[in-house]
Amino acid sequence: LPPTYNDVNQHPQITFTSAVYNPHVDPLTGKLDIKTAYPKWDPSKHYLVTVLTFTKKIFYAKNFDDAKANVEAKNLAKSDPAAYRKKVDECVGESQRKAFANMEGSTAKFTEEILGHRVLRDLLKANVREPSQVSKQ
């Protein structure tokens, strides 16, 4: 949040750390174009939840007429939806792969799901009706 956030016209910022191919996201900076949706930020009407709702909405939108951040993505979405979807899917795949990157020395290790995980999950779903009744011993 900017130091003067919640003053009139002091928009919050959302920056994606992985590539997002979307007409509302600047491809160079990863910044979500909030000013197109909220040209005049009014702290008496706009809240962080407003921006989070907008962020979610951009991933379900079918019409990008008002988008300005990534004109290439906007034009491709209109002219060739299948090619646009392919680029979106590539970004999603890359983001999913990065979700399993582990920091050196970290005690928590993240891995992609393997068959054993699915088997255990299915067994738990089939045999545990009330999770609160499961003993931690």
Side-chain angles (χ1 to χ4, degrees):
L1 295 173
T4 56
Y5 170 72
N6 236 13
D7 288 347
V8 174
N9 287 328
Q10 293 301 312
H11 297 73
Q13 289 182 352
I14 292 184
T15 304
F16 295 95
T17 57
S18 61
V20 174
Y21 193 76
N22 185 284
H24 292 283
V25 179
D26 184 297
L28 299 176
T29 65
K31 288 185 180 179
L32 175 65
D33 180 13
I34 295 170
K35 290 183 180 182
T36 296
Y38 308 100
K40 294 184 179 184
W41 185 262
D42 181 350
S44 69
K45 293 191 286 186
H46 303 125
Y47 308 97
L48 285 180
V49 69
T50 310
V51 176
L52 295 174
T53 302
F54 174 67
T55 303
K56 181 179 174 185
K57 179 183 160 191
I58 70 164
F59 295 109
Y60 296 101
K62 303 257 189 266
N63 180 328
F64 299 108
D65 288 344
D66 60 341
K68 298 177 183 172
N70 187 338
V71 176
E72 176 197 295
K74 175 182 175 176
N75 292 339
L76 189 61
K78 195 174 221 173
S79 67
D80 190 347
Y84 171 76
R85 179 61 191 215
K86 184 177 180 189
K87 286 190 173 240
V88 168
D89 288 345
E90 289 169 2
C91 284
V92 169
E94 181 62 24
S95 181
Q96 288 173 331
R97 282 187 291 281
K98 286 182 179 178
F100 300 108
N102 294 293
M103 292 184 65
E104 190 174 326
S106 175
T107 56
K109 299 292 181 198
F110 299 96
T111 62
E112 293 188 54
E113 182 180 67
I114 57 174
L115 179 60
H117 296 149
R118 279 181 267 159
V119 170
L120 288 172
R121 185 182 58 239
D122 291 345
L123 284 169
L124 286 168
K125 283 182 181 178
N127 294 297
V128 176
R129 301 281 182 250
E130 182 55 47
S132 63
Q133 300 300 317
V134 175
S135 170
K136 295 182 181 178
Q137 296 178 2

